[in-house]
Amino acid sequence: MPVTSTQHDLDALTLTITADFAAPPERVWAIYEDPRQLERVWGPPGYPATFVDHALEPGSRSTYYMTSPEGQRFYAYWDVTSVAGPDGFTFDDGFALDETFAPNTSMPQSHADYAFVATDDGTHATFVTSYASADDLQQVLDMGVVEGSTAAINQIDDLLAADAA
Amino acid sequence: MIEDAEDRADAWFHALADRTRRDILRRVLSGEHSVSTLAQSYDMSFAAVQKHVAVLERAGLLTKRRQGREALASGDVEAVRSVGVMLTELEDLWRGRISRMDELLALDPADHRPEED
């Protein structure tokens, strides 16, 4: 597994995941730059993503939808806020109302900050995803877009034992 | 009782951000404890432990009932599970994304990959 660490910040409602890839930052960056590659990795199993518009440029809005196993489409968008290719980029990820991709303002946005650093073996990537409130995170997960994983009761112990940031 | 869902969720995360409260919650999730018994486990005053219990109670993570002169506390397993599930589900989504990226990179022709020593 290329994941090297995961950190849950209960106060900041932030998930930070680091991973090492056996490819240079330019190659990892290319996955995010190319909508055809991006849609192969973005949606969870059973919910493939289709990017309609996509450009990694500050101020640009990407539009995409995920299709559920039942054929239901979840429309969403990225508002790209800063770009420093191939070192990383930041964006806001939100849900859209329908195929017009008008933002659904009753649904929360998450903020994403991705960074790619060259190492001797390839790339050290840091993916930070944060939510404004616990309720926002709950709402996004309730959309059912995330694989329905039922955490075992012993995972609670891990959570409670984790040092607060 | 906290009515608003957002306040409730904020209260959960606030309650779990303290080491002593996490420890109290671990104990009461495994069974009912009196507040005075809990207080003996910590190097702090009874009143301080009572305050921690009250924070957990307000967050809906434990429930208290009175038995004679004793206040008995037990953990609300369902409430705690929802906090755990949220961050774990998000992490699972990311683990999937990262392994799919890894697989995609592995499909590259050999001359695009770093030199093998």
Side-chain angles (χ1 to χ4, degrees), chain A residues 8 10 17 27 40-43 114 134 138 141 149 153 156-157 160 162 164, chain B residues 13 16-17 22 26 77 80 86-87 89 91-92 94 97-98 100 104 108:
Chain A
H8 299 175
L10 300 182
I17 279 201
R27 179 63 193 92
R40 290 168 65 176
V41 304
W42 187 250
Y114 300 171
Q138 181 73 65
L141 297 176
S149 70
I153 199 83
I156 292 167
D157 226 31
L160 299 177
Chain B
F13 283 88
L16 291 173
R22 289 198 298 274
R26 257 201 300 278
V77 175
V80 176
M86 288 204 305
L87 286 168
E89 277 187 6
E91 184 180 321
D92 285 351
W94 265 104
R97 275 180 189 152
I98 288 165
R100 288 190 293 277
L104 183 63
D108 285 352

PDB file of all heavy atoms in Angstrom, chain A residues 8 10 17 27 40-43 114 134 138 141 149 153 156-157 160 162 164, chain B residues 13 16-17 22 26 77 80 86-87 89 91-92 94 97-98 100 104 108:
ATOM      1  N   HIS A   8      -6.476  12.070  11.588  1.00  0.00           N
ATOM      2  CA  HIS A   8      -7.792  12.674  11.764  1.00  0.00           C
ATOM      3  C   HIS A   8      -7.643  13.814  12.761  1.00  0.00           C
ATOM      4  O   HIS A   8      -7.220  13.591  13.885  1.00  0.00           O
ATOM      5  CB  HIS A   8      -8.784  11.669  12.357  1.00  0.00           C
ATOM      6  CG  HIS A   8      -9.018  10.469  11.506  1.00  0.00           C
ATOM      7  ND1 HIS A   8      -9.797   9.423  11.916  1.00  0.00           N
ATOM      8  CD2 HIS A   8      -8.592  10.140  10.272  1.00  0.00           C
ATOM      9  CE1 HIS A   8      -9.833   8.496  10.961  1.00  0.00           C
ATOM     10  NE2 HIS A   8      -9.111   8.912   9.957  1.00  0.00           N
ATOM     11  N   LEU A  10      -9.773  16.043  14.891  1.00  0.00           N
ATOM     12  CA  LEU A  10     -11.167  16.160  15.314  1.00  0.00           C
ATOM     13  C   LEU A  10     -11.595  17.613  15.462  1.00  0.00           C
ATOM     14  O   LEU A  10     -12.758  17.943  15.292  1.00  0.00           O
ATOM     15  CB  LEU A  10     -11.378  15.429  16.646  1.00  0.00           C
ATOM     16  CG  LEU A  10     -11.065  13.937  16.658  1.00  0.00           C
ATOM     17  CD1 LEU A  10     -11.362  13.346  18.017  1.00  0.00           C
ATOM     18  CD2 LEU A  10     -11.833  13.213  15.575  1.00  0.00           C
ATOM     19  N   ILE A  17      -3.894  12.668   4.542  1.00  0.00           N
ATOM     20  CA  ILE A  17      -3.374  11.364   4.131  1.00  0.00           C
ATOM     21  C   ILE A  17      -2.105  11.596   3.331  1.00  0.00           C
ATOM     22  O   ILE A  17      -2.070  12.480   2.465  1.00  0.00           O
ATOM     23  CB  ILE A  17      -4.429  10.606   3.296  1.00  0.00           C
ATOM     24  CG1 ILE A  17      -5.427   9.949   4.251  1.00  0.00           C
ATOM     25  CG2 ILE A  17      -3.805   9.587   2.380  1.00  0.00           C
ATOM     26  CD1 ILE A  17      -6.194   8.805   3.672  1.00  0.00           C
ATOM     27  N   ARG A  27       4.316  13.228 -13.206  1.00  0.00           N
ATOM     28  CA  ARG A  27       3.429  12.134 -13.639  1.00  0.00           C
ATOM     29  C   ARG A  27       2.172  12.076 -12.760  1.00  0.00           C
ATOM     30  O   ARG A  27       1.073  11.842 -13.263  1.00  0.00           O
ATOM     31  CB  ARG A  27       4.196  10.805 -13.596  1.00  0.00           C
ATOM     32  CG  ARG A  27       3.383   9.595 -14.007  1.00  0.00           C
ATOM     33  CD  ARG A  27       2.922   9.680 -15.452  1.00  0.00           C
ATOM     34  NE  ARG A  27       1.891   8.685 -15.757  1.00  0.00           N
ATOM     35  CZ  ARG A  27       0.585   8.920 -15.661  1.00  0.00           C
ATOM     36  NH1 ARG A  27       0.145  10.102 -15.264  1.00  0.00           N
ATOM     37  NH2 ARG A  27      -0.290   7.981 -15.976  1.00  0.00           N
ATOM     38  N   ARG A  40     -10.720   8.010 -13.659  1.00  0.00           N
ATOM     39  CA  ARG A  40     -10.432   6.605 -13.340  1.00  0.00           C
ATOM     40  C   ARG A  40     -10.081   6.408 -11.873  1.00  0.00           C
ATOM     41  O   ARG A  40     -10.087   5.280 -11.385  1.00  0.00           O
ATOM     42  CB  ARG A  40      -9.285   6.092 -14.223  1.00  0.00           C
ATOM     43  CG  ARG A  40      -9.719   5.949 -15.679  1.00  0.00           C
ATOM     44  CD  ARG A  40      -8.551   5.727 -16.598  1.00  0.00           C
ATOM     45  NE  ARG A  40      -7.863   4.452 -16.362  1.00  0.00           N
ATOM     46  CZ  ARG A  40      -6.856   4.029 -17.125  1.00  0.00           C
ATOM     47  NH1 ARG A  40      -6.453   4.755 -18.137  1.00  0.00           N
ATOM     48  NH2 ARG A  40      -6.262   2.876 -16.854  1.00  0.00           N
ATOM     49  N   VAL A  41      -9.713   7.489 -11.183  1.00  0.00           N
ATOM     50  CA  VAL A  41      -9.311   7.330  -9.780  1.00  0.00           C
ATOM     51  C   VAL A  41     -10.260   8.022  -8.792  1.00  0.00           C
ATOM     52  O   VAL A  41     -10.270   7.698  -7.611  1.00  0.00           O
ATOM     53  CB  VAL A  41      -7.865   7.851  -9.524  1.00  0.00           C
ATOM     54  CG1 VAL A  41      -6.888   7.156 -10.459  1.00  0.00           C
ATOM     55  CG2 VAL A  41      -7.771   9.356  -9.660  1.00  0.00           C
ATOM     56  N   TRP A  42     -11.079   8.963  -9.252  1.00  0.00           N
ATOM     57  CA  TRP A  42     -11.806   9.829  -8.319  1.00  0.00           C
ATOM     58  C   TRP A  42     -13.010   9.145  -7.658  1.00  0.00           C
ATOM     59  O   TRP A  42     -13.214   9.247  -6.462  1.00  0.00           O
ATOM     60  CB  TRP A  42     -12.231  11.119  -9.027  1.00  0.00           C
ATOM     61  CG  TRP A  42     -12.841  12.118  -8.091  1.00  0.00           C
ATOM     62  CD1 TRP A  42     -14.155  12.490  -8.041  1.00  0.00           C
ATOM     63  CD2 TRP A  42     -12.171  12.856  -7.069  1.00  0.00           C
ATOM     64  NE1 TRP A  42     -14.335  13.417  -7.045  1.00  0.00           N
ATOM     65  CE2 TRP A  42     -13.135  13.658  -6.428  1.00  0.00           C
ATOM     66  CE3 TRP A  42     -10.845  12.908  -6.623  1.00  0.00           C
ATOM     67  CZ2 TRP A  42     -12.826  14.514  -5.369  1.00  0.00           C
ATOM     68  CZ3 TRP A  42     -10.524  13.761  -5.560  1.00  0.00           C
ATOM     69  CH2 TRP A  42     -11.517  14.546  -4.952  1.00  0.00           C
ATOM     70  N   GLY A  43     -13.840   8.478  -8.443  1.00  0.00           N
ATOM     71  CA  GLY A  43     -15.064   7.890  -7.897  1.00  0.00           C
ATOM     72  C   GLY A  43     -14.791   6.561  -7.212  1.00  0.00           C
ATOM     73  O   GLY A  43     -13.953   5.793  -7.664  1.00  0.00           O
ATOM     74  N   TYR A 114      -3.743  19.669  -2.093  1.00  0.00           N
ATOM     75  CA  TYR A 114      -2.916  18.528  -2.490  1.00  0.00           C
ATOM     76  C   TYR A 114      -1.509  19.031  -2.800  1.00  0.00           C
ATOM     77  O   TYR A 114      -1.355  20.034  -3.493  1.00  0.00           O
ATOM     78  CB  TYR A 114      -3.468  17.836  -3.747  1.00  0.00           C
ATOM     79  CG  TYR A 114      -4.874  17.292  -3.623  1.00  0.00           C
ATOM     80  CD1 TYR A 114      -5.545  16.817  -4.746  1.00  0.00           C
ATOM     81  CD2 TYR A 114      -5.540  17.248  -2.401  1.00  0.00           C
ATOM     82  CE1 TYR A 114      -6.834  16.318  -4.655  1.00  0.00           C
ATOM     83  CE2 TYR A 114      -6.831  16.751  -2.303  1.00  0.00           C
ATOM     84  CZ  TYR A 114      -7.478  16.291  -3.432  1.00  0.00           C
ATOM     85  OH  TYR A 114      -8.754  15.802  -3.342  1.00  0.00           O
ATOM     86  N   ALA A 134     -18.661  19.361  11.690  1.00  0.00           N
ATOM     87  CA  ALA A 134     -18.919  17.920  11.724  1.00  0.00           C
ATOM     88  C   ALA A 134     -20.208  17.606  10.973  1.00  0.00           C
ATOM     89  O   ALA A 134     -20.324  16.577  10.307  1.00  0.00           O
ATOM     90  CB  ALA A 134     -19.008  17.443  13.168  1.00  0.00           C
ATOM     91  N   GLN A 138     -20.892  14.952   7.915  1.00  0.00           N
ATOM     92  CA  GLN A 138     -21.995  13.987   8.011  1.00  0.00           C
ATOM     93  C   GLN A 138     -22.891  14.058   6.780  1.00  0.00           C
ATOM     94  O   GLN A 138     -23.257  13.045   6.187  1.00  0.00           O
ATOM     95  CB  GLN A 138     -22.813  14.282   9.276  1.00  0.00           C
ATOM     96  CG  GLN A 138     -23.980  13.331   9.501  1.00  0.00           C
ATOM     97  CD  GLN A 138     -23.531  11.964   9.959  1.00  0.00           C
ATOM     98  OE1 GLN A 138     -22.980  11.819  11.034  1.00  0.00           O
ATOM     99  NE2 GLN A 138     -23.741  10.959   9.125  1.00  0.00           N
ATOM    100  N   LEU A 141     -21.234  12.495   3.724  1.00  0.00           N
ATOM    101  CA  LEU A 141     -21.207  11.039   3.797  1.00  0.00           C
ATOM    102  C   LEU A 141     -22.614  10.461   3.629  1.00  0.00           C
ATOM    103  O   LEU A 141     -22.791   9.395   3.056  1.00  0.00           O
ATOM    104  CB  LEU A 141     -20.598  10.587   5.131  1.00  0.00           C
ATOM    105  CG  LEU A 141     -19.128  10.995   5.330  1.00  0.00           C
ATOM    106  CD1 LEU A 141     -18.644  10.580   6.711  1.00  0.00           C
ATOM    107  CD2 LEU A 141     -18.233  10.384   4.261  1.00  0.00           C
ATOM    108  N   SER A 149     -19.045   1.867   4.316  1.00  0.00           N
ATOM    109  CA  SER A 149     -18.241   1.010   5.191  1.00  0.00           C
ATOM    110  C   SER A 149     -18.834   1.110   6.579  1.00  0.00           C
ATOM    111  O   SER A 149     -19.126   2.182   7.068  1.00  0.00           O
ATOM    112  CB  SER A 149     -16.797   1.483   5.226  1.00  0.00           C
ATOM    113  OG  SER A 149     -16.710   2.709   5.907  1.00  0.00           O
ATOM    114  N   ILE A 153     -16.815  -1.889  15.871  1.00  0.00           N
ATOM    115  CA  ILE A 153     -16.840  -1.212  17.164  1.00  0.00           C
ATOM    116  C   ILE A 153     -15.427  -0.989  17.709  1.00  0.00           C
ATOM    117  O   ILE A 153     -15.172  -0.005  18.392  1.00  0.00           O
ATOM    118  CB  ILE A 153     -17.703  -2.006  18.173  1.00  0.00           C
ATOM    119  CG1 ILE A 153     -18.125  -1.134  19.356  1.00  0.00           C
ATOM    120  CG2 ILE A 153     -17.030  -3.266  18.652  1.00  0.00           C
ATOM    121  CD1 ILE A 153     -19.335  -0.294  19.072  1.00  0.00           C
ATOM    122  N   ILE A 156     -13.683   2.389  17.162  1.00  0.00           N
ATOM    123  CA  ILE A 156     -14.000   3.490  18.070  1.00  0.00           C
ATOM    124  C   ILE A 156     -12.878   3.654  19.073  1.00  0.00           C
ATOM    125  O   ILE A 156     -12.456   4.767  19.378  1.00  0.00           O
ATOM    126  CB  ILE A 156     -15.330   3.230  18.791  1.00  0.00           C
ATOM    127  CG1 ILE A 156     -16.471   3.299  17.786  1.00  0.00           C
ATOM    128  CG2 ILE A 156     -15.539   4.206  19.938  1.00  0.00           C
ATOM    129  CD1 ILE A 156     -17.757   2.768  18.324  1.00  0.00           C
ATOM    130  N   ASP A 157     -12.393   2.536  19.555  1.00  0.00           N
ATOM    131  CA  ASP A 157     -11.314   2.571  20.522  1.00  0.00           C
ATOM    132  C   ASP A 157     -10.092   3.276  19.948  1.00  0.00           C
ATOM    133  O   ASP A 157      -9.459   4.077  20.619  1.00  0.00           O
ATOM    134  CB  ASP A 157     -10.956   1.135  20.934  1.00  0.00           C
ATOM    135  CG  ASP A 157     -10.813   1.028  22.436  1.00  0.00           C
ATOM    136  OD1 ASP A 157     -11.513   1.780  23.144  1.00  0.00           O
ATOM    137  OD2 ASP A 157     -10.005   0.208  22.886  1.00  0.00           O
ATOM    138  N   LEU A 160     -10.830   6.979  19.867  1.00  0.00           N
ATOM    139  CA  LEU A 160     -10.799   7.611  21.174  1.00  0.00           C
ATOM    140  C   LEU A 160      -9.388   7.651  21.734  1.00  0.00           C
ATOM    141  O   LEU A 160      -9.039   8.535  22.508  1.00  0.00           O
ATOM    142  CB  LEU A 160     -11.722   6.872  22.146  1.00  0.00           C
ATOM    143  CG  LEU A 160     -13.191   6.857  21.731  1.00  0.00           C
ATOM    144  CD1 LEU A 160     -14.006   6.037  22.712  1.00  0.00           C
ATOM    145  CD2 LEU A 160     -13.728   8.268  21.654  1.00  0.00           C
ATOM    146  N   ALA A 162      -6.715   8.031  19.950  1.00  0.00           N
ATOM    147  CA  ALA A 162      -5.853   8.926  19.175  1.00  0.00           C
ATOM    148  C   ALA A 162      -5.646  10.231  19.937  1.00  0.00           C
ATOM    149  O   ALA A 162      -6.571  10.769  20.516  1.00  0.00           O
ATOM    150  CB  ALA A 162      -6.496   9.207  17.818  1.00  0.00           C
ATOM    151  N   ALA A 164      -5.511  13.950  20.630  1.00  0.00           N
ATOM    152  CA  ALA A 164      -6.139  15.115  20.023  1.00  0.00           C
ATOM    153  C   ALA A 164      -5.050  16.033  19.495  1.00  0.00           C
ATOM    154  O   ALA A 164      -3.994  16.158  20.100  1.00  0.00           O
ATOM    155  CB  ALA A 164      -6.993  15.846  21.055  1.00  0.00           C
TER     156      ALA A 164
ATOM    157  N   PHE B  13     -17.311  16.514  18.729  1.00  0.00           N
ATOM    158  CA  PHE B  13     -15.894  16.670  18.424  1.00  0.00           C
ATOM    159  C   PHE B  13     -15.181  17.416  19.545  1.00  0.00           C
ATOM    160  O   PHE B  13     -14.047  17.097  19.883  1.00  0.00           O
ATOM    161  CB  PHE B  13     -15.717  17.357  17.061  1.00  0.00           C
ATOM    162  CG  PHE B  13     -15.972  16.407  15.923  1.00  0.00           C
ATOM    163  CD1 PHE B  13     -17.246  16.237  15.420  1.00  0.00           C
ATOM    164  CD2 PHE B  13     -14.941  15.649  15.391  1.00  0.00           C
ATOM    165  CE1 PHE B  13     -17.490  15.329  14.398  1.00  0.00           C
ATOM    166  CE2 PHE B  13     -15.179  14.746  14.365  1.00  0.00           C
ATOM    167  CZ  PHE B  13     -16.450  14.590  13.867  1.00  0.00           C
ATOM    168  N   LEU B  16     -14.646  14.892  22.385  1.00  0.00           N
ATOM    169  CA  LEU B  16     -13.637  13.863  22.117  1.00  0.00           C
ATOM    170  C   LEU B  16     -12.237  14.447  21.989  1.00  0.00           C
ATOM    171  O   LEU B  16     -11.267  13.710  21.868  1.00  0.00           O
ATOM    172  CB  LEU B  16     -13.992  13.100  20.832  1.00  0.00           C
ATOM    173  CG  LEU B  16     -15.236  12.226  20.945  1.00  0.00           C
ATOM    174  CD1 LEU B  16     -15.593  11.655  19.582  1.00  0.00           C
ATOM    175  CD2 LEU B  16     -15.019  11.103  21.941  1.00  0.00           C
ATOM    176  N   ALA B  17     -12.122  15.759  22.020  1.00  0.00           N
ATOM    177  CA  ALA B  17     -10.806  16.387  21.863  1.00  0.00           C
ATOM    178  C   ALA B  17     -10.043  16.425  23.179  1.00  0.00           C
ATOM    179  O   ALA B  17      -8.932  16.947  23.234  1.00  0.00           O
ATOM    180  CB  ALA B  17     -10.954  17.796  21.294  1.00  0.00           C
ATOM    181  N   ARG B  22     -11.961  11.169  26.725  1.00  0.00           N
ATOM    182  CA  ARG B  22     -11.915   9.944  25.922  1.00  0.00           C
ATOM    183  C   ARG B  22     -11.751   8.738  26.836  1.00  0.00           C
ATOM    184  O   ARG B  22     -12.348   7.690  26.608  1.00  0.00           O
ATOM    185  CB  ARG B  22     -10.767  10.004  24.905  1.00  0.00           C
ATOM    186  CG  ARG B  22     -11.015  10.978  23.772  1.00  0.00           C
ATOM    187  CD  ARG B  22     -10.088  10.702  22.585  1.00  0.00           C
ATOM    188  NE  ARG B  22      -8.680  10.845  22.912  1.00  0.00           N
ATOM    189  CZ  ARG B  22      -8.021  12.005  22.865  1.00  0.00           C
ATOM    190  NH1 ARG B  22      -8.654  13.110  22.547  1.00  0.00           N
ATOM    191  NH2 ARG B  22      -6.746  12.048  23.150  1.00  0.00           N
ATOM    192  N   ARG B  26     -14.276   5.605  27.208  1.00  0.00           N
ATOM    193  CA  ARG B  26     -13.869   4.203  27.042  1.00  0.00           C
ATOM    194  C   ARG B  26     -14.415   3.348  28.181  1.00  0.00           C
ATOM    195  O   ARG B  26     -14.925   2.256  27.957  1.00  0.00           O
ATOM    196  CB  ARG B  26     -12.351   4.090  27.021  1.00  0.00           C
ATOM    197  CG  ARG B  26     -11.784   3.896  25.626  1.00  0.00           C
ATOM    198  CD  ARG B  26     -10.395   3.298  25.683  1.00  0.00           C
ATOM    199  NE  ARG B  26      -9.471   4.158  26.427  1.00  0.00           N
ATOM    200  CZ  ARG B  26      -8.847   5.210  25.896  1.00  0.00           C
ATOM    201  NH1 ARG B  26      -9.058   5.536  24.644  1.00  0.00           N
ATOM    202  NH2 ARG B  26      -8.021   5.929  26.615  1.00  0.00           N
ATOM    203  N   VAL B  77     -23.273   3.834  22.856  1.00  0.00           N
ATOM    204  CA  VAL B  77     -22.450   3.197  21.817  1.00  0.00           C
ATOM    205  C   VAL B  77     -22.826   3.697  20.420  1.00  0.00           C
ATOM    206  O   VAL B  77     -21.967   3.964  19.589  1.00  0.00           O
ATOM    207  CB  VAL B  77     -22.579   1.663  21.905  1.00  0.00           C
ATOM    208  CG1 VAL B  77     -21.824   0.996  20.768  1.00  0.00           C
ATOM    209  CG2 VAL B  77     -22.039   1.172  23.237  1.00  0.00           C
ATOM    210  N   VAL B  80     -21.348   7.211  19.681  1.00  0.00           N
ATOM    211  CA  VAL B  80     -19.902   7.172  19.464  1.00  0.00           C
ATOM    212  C   VAL B  80     -19.586   6.572  18.106  1.00  0.00           C
ATOM    213  O   VAL B  80     -18.718   7.034  17.389  1.00  0.00           O
ATOM    214  CB  VAL B  80     -19.213   6.366  20.582  1.00  0.00           C
ATOM    215  CG1 VAL B  80     -17.726   6.245  20.298  1.00  0.00           C
ATOM    216  CG2 VAL B  80     -19.442   7.036  21.916  1.00  0.00           C
ATOM    217  N   MET B  86     -17.739   8.443  10.566  1.00  0.00           N
ATOM    218  CA  MET B  86     -17.552   9.573   9.657  1.00  0.00           C
ATOM    219  C   MET B  86     -16.122   9.681   9.149  1.00  0.00           C
ATOM    220  O   MET B  86     -15.879   9.706   7.950  1.00  0.00           O
ATOM    221  CB  MET B  86     -17.955  10.879  10.346  1.00  0.00           C
ATOM    222  CG  MET B  86     -19.451  11.011  10.513  1.00  0.00           C
ATOM    223  SD  MET B  86     -20.005  12.710  10.669  1.00  0.00           S
ATOM    224  CE  MET B  86     -19.044  13.322  12.011  1.00  0.00           C
ATOM    225  N   LEU B  87     -15.169   9.752  10.071  1.00  0.00           N
ATOM    226  CA  LEU B  87     -13.786   9.933   9.641  1.00  0.00           C
ATOM    227  C   LEU B  87     -13.237   8.670   8.994  1.00  0.00           C
ATOM    228  O   LEU B  87     -12.428   8.727   8.082  1.00  0.00           O
ATOM    229  CB  LEU B  87     -12.916  10.377  10.813  1.00  0.00           C
ATOM    230  CG  LEU B  87     -13.155  11.836  11.204  1.00  0.00           C
ATOM    231  CD1 LEU B  87     -12.503  12.164  12.530  1.00  0.00           C
ATOM    232  CD2 LEU B  87     -12.643  12.778  10.132  1.00  0.00           C
ATOM    233  N   GLU B  89     -14.980   6.490   7.180  1.00  0.00           N
ATOM    234  CA  GLU B  89     -15.502   6.386   5.813  1.00  0.00           C
ATOM    235  C   GLU B  89     -14.724   7.280   4.864  1.00  0.00           C
ATOM    236  O   GLU B  89     -14.407   6.889   3.744  1.00  0.00           O
ATOM    237  CB  GLU B  89     -16.983   6.785   5.766  1.00  0.00           C
ATOM    238  CG  GLU B  89     -17.910   5.662   6.141  1.00  0.00           C
ATOM    239  CD  GLU B  89     -19.368   6.033   5.924  1.00  0.00           C
ATOM    240  OE1 GLU B  89     -19.640   7.115   5.382  1.00  0.00           O
ATOM    241  OE2 GLU B  89     -20.222   5.229   6.301  1.00  0.00           O
ATOM    242  N   GLU B  91     -11.685   8.267   5.228  1.00  0.00           N
ATOM    243  CA  GLU B  91     -10.359   7.664   5.050  1.00  0.00           C
ATOM    244  C   GLU B  91     -10.420   6.495   4.074  1.00  0.00           C
ATOM    245  O   GLU B  91      -9.558   6.332   3.206  1.00  0.00           O
ATOM    246  CB  GLU B  91      -9.814   7.202   6.397  1.00  0.00           C
ATOM    247  CG  GLU B  91      -8.410   6.661   6.298  1.00  0.00           C
ATOM    248  CD  GLU B  91      -7.874   6.196   7.634  1.00  0.00           C
ATOM    249  OE1 GLU B  91      -8.130   6.854   8.664  1.00  0.00           O
ATOM    250  OE2 GLU B  91      -7.184   5.165   7.642  1.00  0.00           O
ATOM    251  N   ASP B  92     -11.470   5.670   4.163  1.00  0.00           N
ATOM    252  CA  ASP B  92     -11.623   4.531   3.249  1.00  0.00           C
ATOM    253  C   ASP B  92     -11.722   4.998   1.805  1.00  0.00           C
ATOM    254  O   ASP B  92     -11.134   4.393   0.901  1.00  0.00           O
ATOM    255  CB  ASP B  92     -12.890   3.731   3.591  1.00  0.00           C
ATOM    256  CG  ASP B  92     -12.714   2.885   4.836  1.00  0.00           C
ATOM    257  OD1 ASP B  92     -11.567   2.787   5.326  1.00  0.00           O
ATOM    258  OD2 ASP B  92     -13.717   2.338   5.316  1.00  0.00           O
ATOM    259  N   TRP B  94     -10.400   7.620   0.541  1.00  0.00           N
ATOM    260  CA  TRP B  94      -9.076   8.054   0.109  1.00  0.00           C
ATOM    261  C   TRP B  94      -8.126   6.896  -0.111  1.00  0.00           C
ATOM    262  O   TRP B  94      -7.327   6.908  -1.045  1.00  0.00           O
ATOM    263  CB  TRP B  94      -8.504   9.054   1.110  1.00  0.00           C
ATOM    264  CG  TRP B  94      -8.822  10.417   0.619  1.00  0.00           C
ATOM    265  CD1 TRP B  94      -9.780  11.260   1.081  1.00  0.00           C
ATOM    266  CD2 TRP B  94      -8.217  11.053  -0.502  1.00  0.00           C
ATOM    267  NE1 TRP B  94      -9.797  12.390   0.299  1.00  0.00           N
ATOM    268  CE2 TRP B  94      -8.851  12.293  -0.669  1.00  0.00           C
ATOM    269  CE3 TRP B  94      -7.195  10.684  -1.395  1.00  0.00           C
ATOM    270  CZ2 TRP B  94      -8.501  13.181  -1.675  1.00  0.00           C
ATOM    271  CZ3 TRP B  94      -6.854  11.566  -2.398  1.00  0.00           C
ATOM    272  CH2 TRP B  94      -7.506  12.807  -2.533  1.00  0.00           C
ATOM    273  N   ARG B  97      -8.880   5.723  -3.485  1.00  0.00           N
ATOM    274  CA  ARG B  97      -8.365   6.624  -4.525  1.00  0.00           C
ATOM    275  C   ARG B  97      -6.869   6.431  -4.723  1.00  0.00           C
ATOM    276  O   ARG B  97      -6.377   6.378  -5.852  1.00  0.00           O
ATOM    277  CB  ARG B  97      -8.619   8.086  -4.138  1.00  0.00           C
ATOM    278  CG  ARG B  97      -9.981   8.554  -4.529  1.00  0.00           C
ATOM    279  CD  ARG B  97     -10.211   9.988  -4.137  1.00  0.00           C
ATOM    280  NE  ARG B  97     -11.621  10.314  -4.349  1.00  0.00           N
ATOM    281  CZ  ARG B  97     -12.271  11.235  -3.668  1.00  0.00           C
ATOM    282  NH1 ARG B  97     -11.658  11.941  -2.743  1.00  0.00           N
ATOM    283  NH2 ARG B  97     -13.542  11.473  -3.917  1.00  0.00           N
ATOM    284  N   ILE B  98      -6.152   6.332  -3.613  1.00  0.00           N
ATOM    285  CA  ILE B  98      -4.694   6.230  -3.703  1.00  0.00           C
ATOM    286  C   ILE B  98      -4.279   4.906  -4.327  1.00  0.00           C
ATOM    287  O   ILE B  98      -3.367   4.854  -5.157  1.00  0.00           O
ATOM    288  CB  ILE B  98      -4.065   6.464  -2.317  1.00  0.00           C
ATOM    289  CG1 ILE B  98      -4.190   7.962  -1.972  1.00  0.00           C
ATOM    290  CG2 ILE B  98      -2.619   6.003  -2.275  1.00  0.00           C
ATOM    291  CD1 ILE B  98      -3.953   8.304  -0.528  1.00  0.00           C
ATOM    292  N   ARG B 100      -6.030   3.244  -6.487  1.00  0.00           N
ATOM    293  CA  ARG B 100      -6.345   3.339  -7.928  1.00  0.00           C
ATOM    294  C   ARG B 100      -5.299   4.180  -8.665  1.00  0.00           C
ATOM    295  O   ARG B 100      -4.940   3.882  -9.803  1.00  0.00           O
ATOM    296  CB  ARG B 100      -7.752   3.927  -8.132  1.00  0.00           C
ATOM    297  CG  ARG B 100      -8.868   2.967  -7.756  1.00  0.00           C
ATOM    298  CD  ARG B 100     -10.240   3.452  -8.189  1.00  0.00           C
ATOM    299  NE  ARG B 100     -10.693   4.653  -7.500  1.00  0.00           N
ATOM    300  CZ  ARG B 100     -11.284   4.668  -6.303  1.00  0.00           C
ATOM    301  NH1 ARG B 100     -11.462   3.533  -5.649  1.00  0.00           N
ATOM    302  NH2 ARG B 100     -11.690   5.796  -5.764  1.00  0.00           N
ATOM    303  N   LEU B 104      -2.945   2.916 -11.719  1.00  0.00           N
ATOM    304  CA  LEU B 104      -2.862   3.667 -12.973  1.00  0.00           C
ATOM    305  C   LEU B 104      -1.399   3.961 -13.325  1.00  0.00           C
ATOM    306  O   LEU B 104      -0.976   3.790 -14.469  1.00  0.00           O
ATOM    307  CB  LEU B 104      -3.659   4.972 -12.840  1.00  0.00           C
ATOM    308  CG  LEU B 104      -3.748   5.882 -14.073  1.00  0.00           C
ATOM    309  CD1 LEU B 104      -4.477   5.176 -15.208  1.00  0.00           C
ATOM    310  CD2 LEU B 104      -4.480   7.176 -13.728  1.00  0.00           C
ATOM    311  N   ASP B 108       1.958   2.554 -16.699  1.00  0.00           N
ATOM    312  CA  ASP B 108       2.823   3.335 -17.585  1.00  0.00           C
ATOM    313  C   ASP B 108       3.867   2.441 -18.239  1.00  0.00           C
ATOM    314  O   ASP B 108       4.349   1.506 -17.628  1.00  0.00           O
ATOM    315  CB  ASP B 108       3.552   4.430 -16.790  1.00  0.00           C
ATOM    316  CG  ASP B 108       2.617   5.582 -16.444  1.00  0.00           C
ATOM    317  OD1 ASP B 108       1.483   5.586 -16.951  1.00  0.00           O
ATOM    318  OD2 ASP B 108       3.027   6.447 -15.671  1.00  0.00           O
TER     319      ASP B 108
END
